[in-house]
Amino acid sequence: MVEVGRRDACRALTALAGALALTLTGTAAAHGGPPAAPEHWTGTWEAAASGTAAPLPGASIRNVVRTSVGGTALRVRISNRLGTLPLVLGAATLARQRPNAPKSPNALSGTMRTLTFGGRKKITVSAGKDVVSDPLTLSVPAATNLLVTLHTPGDSGPATYHRDALQTNFLALDGNRAAQAGGAAYKATTTSWYYVTGVDVLRPQAPGSVVALGDSLTDGSGSTPSANRRWPDRLAERLRALPADRRQGVLNAGVAGNRLLLEGRGPSALARFDADVLSRTGVRTLIVMEGVNDIKSAPNQTDPAALGAAYREIVRRAHARGIRVVGATVTPFGGHGGHTAARERVRRSVNQLIRTGGLFDAVADFDAAVRDPSRPDRMRAAYDSGDHLHFNDAGMRALADSVDLTDLAGLADLPGRAG
């Protein structure tokens, strides 16, 4: 086995991507044709690390993830960022899930592939590190479920995971079943994603990707499980209706319980910003929907200026990397147990700052899109999942549909909003 750090992985990827490009160009030249058009890596899926879970020694973990855009090759990010011991992976595979079966561990026939890392099938990932797989040739359409299966032969300590996947994932607890296309061995399920935190695809177009940074409202709490009805999923659907050279990938960096300023569930938005936004592939736009947990959860933030300062810091760091930032207003939560008149005043002050303070390149007014006109401290009943804080599928759709696509980087010349 070999220990691979993030820097080593990046070097390996650069070399392999270069070799791939040279191969494509050389093949075209050998046949007397023009050099092949360059292709571009784009993020198609993300899950932010939200904490750790007990390890699963001897298990094979089959994670189900969904592409936002398609491509001709893939690479997968594996994370031990929150772990305290080296993570040993005995095997890793990728396949397309059998179509129309989001709760099935079965792979589509003929699509099972072995993932390698620096040419090796078995790796050890240092504590606190991420690794990225070698590029893998496999044609994958947009809006397709993938199976990323990892075998953990021993106890590697606390497992970096994304707790609230809102997706049925599968466990085979009796050894290395990573390469098995059939799902008979996967007798247990989990609603968390283990270790896998990103997928990139190779595309002929280069419109880049959009990251949605947020809390449970972005993570999808309240929407239908295993149905991909979070608001970033709907945003990806809208973008797929655009011409091919405008179809940006959408990366969901939502973490239920997350806060801007303090550690909640997982690191604060400021603390995880580099890992969950800046390290992602082809990011051109960031949509920030954070703040409700700072306002409603103890210790409560009572000064809107504190949240404003955090937003400014996010924008500063994004702009330093050429990323456009859209700020989303804080949605209403009247009727929830965490709501008080004082916290409502803070929420409205924060929203006024987002709308008129010049903090962001553009504003997505999620509050206006979902609030009840007769009781603006509450969301519309038709959007309420039942707890007066989280949105059902209709509410998630309303959020996504309120994003003006012309506010996204590179789409400013679109003729108005795309439906």
Side-chain angles (χ1 to χ4, degrees):
M1 294 187 183
V2 62
E3 186 168 292
V4 185
R6 184 183 297 167
R7 186 174 299 173
D8 294 332
C10 290
R11 288 173 178 162
L13 280 171
T14 300
L16 286 164
L20 177 62
L22 287 172
T23 299
L24 291 172
T25 301
T27 299
H31 288 82
E39 294 190 291
H40 308 269
W41 287 105
T42 300
T44 189
W45 176 85
E46 174 181 357
S50 67
T52 60
L56 296 167
S60 296
I61 307 162
R62 182 152 285 181
N63 299 281
V64 181
V65 308
R66 186 173 179 83
T67 62
S68 56
V69 290
T72 58
L74 305 95
R75 60 191 187 193
V76 177
R77 179 186 297 254
I78 305 298
S79 181
N80 191 26
R81 178 154 47 94
L82 303 181
T84 57
L85 297 174
L87 166 64
V88 178
L89 291 181
T93 62
L94 182 142
R96 289 171 57 181
Q97 188 183 46
R98 187 173 294 175
N100 304 314
K103 297 181 182 180
S104 167
N106 295 303
L108 178 65
S109 178
T111 66
M112 181 64 69
R113 302 288 189 276
T114 297
L115 290 171
T116 59
F117 301 82
R120 296 169 173 84
K121 298 178 182 179
K122 300 179 181 180
I123 61 165
T124 299
V125 187
S126 301
K129 300 294 184 180
D130 290 2
V131 298
V132 181
S133 76
D134 301 330
L136 175 67
T137 300
L138 179 66
S139 179
V140 175
T144 295
N145 282 2
L146 304 176
L147 305 177
V148 180
T149 308
L150 307 173
H151 173 53
T152 51
D155 185 344
S156 294
T160 296
Y161 82 148
H162 183 93
R163 193 185 82 162
D164 298 318
L166 281 175
Q167 171 64 54
T168 301
N169 303 294
F170 305 94
L171 303 172
L173 302 175
D174 58 349
N176 184 2
R177 307 284 186 164
Q180 294 184 2
Y186 291 85
K187 301 181 185 301
T189 62
T190 175
T191 55
S192 300
W193 286 306
Y194 280 76
Y195 302 115
V196 59
T197 57
V199 178
D200 299 336
V201 291
L202 193 64
R203 309 174 65 202
Q205 302 87 16
S209 57
V210 181
V211 173
L213 181 68
D215 46 43
S216 60
L217 304 179
T218 298
D219 210 3
S221 299
S223 64
T224 301
S226 298
N228 301 295
R229 292 177 182 170
R230 312 164 191 87
W231 73 260
D233 297 320
R234 167 57 183 165
L235 179 62
E237 180 184 352
R238 293 182 63 205
L239 288 167
R240 287 194 294 271
L242 300 179
D245 62 348
R246 304 299 184 89
R247 295 173 193 162
Q248 296 176 330
V250 177
L251 307 179
N252 189 333
V255 172
N258 199 229
R259 300 171 65 132
L260 263 177
L261 298 171
L262 300 175
E263 182 170 331
R265 186 172 299 152
S268 70
L270 288 173
R272 66 189 182 91
F273 187 77
D274 287 5
D276 293 339
V277 179
L278 298 186
S279 75
R280 302 297 164 158
T281 303
V283 179
R284 301 191 60 191
T285 306
L286 168 67
I287 302 176
V288 181
M289 187 191 186
E290 289 264 13
V292 69
N293 289 323
D294 295 81
I295 295 170
K296 77 172 184 61
S297 301
N300 310 101
Q301 296 296 321
T302 60
D303 182 6
L307 275 72
Y311 293 138
R312 288 188 180 92
E313 175 63 11
I314 285 174
V315 171
R316 183 192 68 78
R317 290 160 67 181
H319 282 179
R321 296 286 290 272
I323 298 171
R324 181 175 174 82
V325 187
V326 178
T329 50
V330 180
T331 51
F333 60 102
H336 184 268
H339 187 267
T340 67
R343 293 169 192 171
E344 176 65 16
R345 287 192 292 270
V346 174
R347 186 185 75 88
R348 295 192 186 196
S349 295
V350 169
N351 282 348
Q352 182 69 9
L353 187 61
I354 291 171
R355 291 186 182 108
T356 65
L359 302 180
F360 299 100
D361 299 304
V363 173
D365 201 341
F366 285 180
D367 170 49
V370 300
R371 68 188 178 215
D372 185 336
S374 64
R375 297 196 63 180
D377 64 329
R378 294 175 177 250
M379 71 176 74
R380 293 175 183 265
Y383 297 156
D384 195 341
S385 69
D387 66 1
H388 311 301
L389 171 66
H390 298 101
F391 297 97
N392 60 20
D393 295 351
M396 292 288 180
R397 188 179 184 91
L399 293 176
D401 287 353
S402 72
V403 176
D404 189 339
L405 298 187
T406 65
D407 287 336
L408 307 185
L411 303 184
D413 58 345
L414 287 173
R417 301 186 181 190

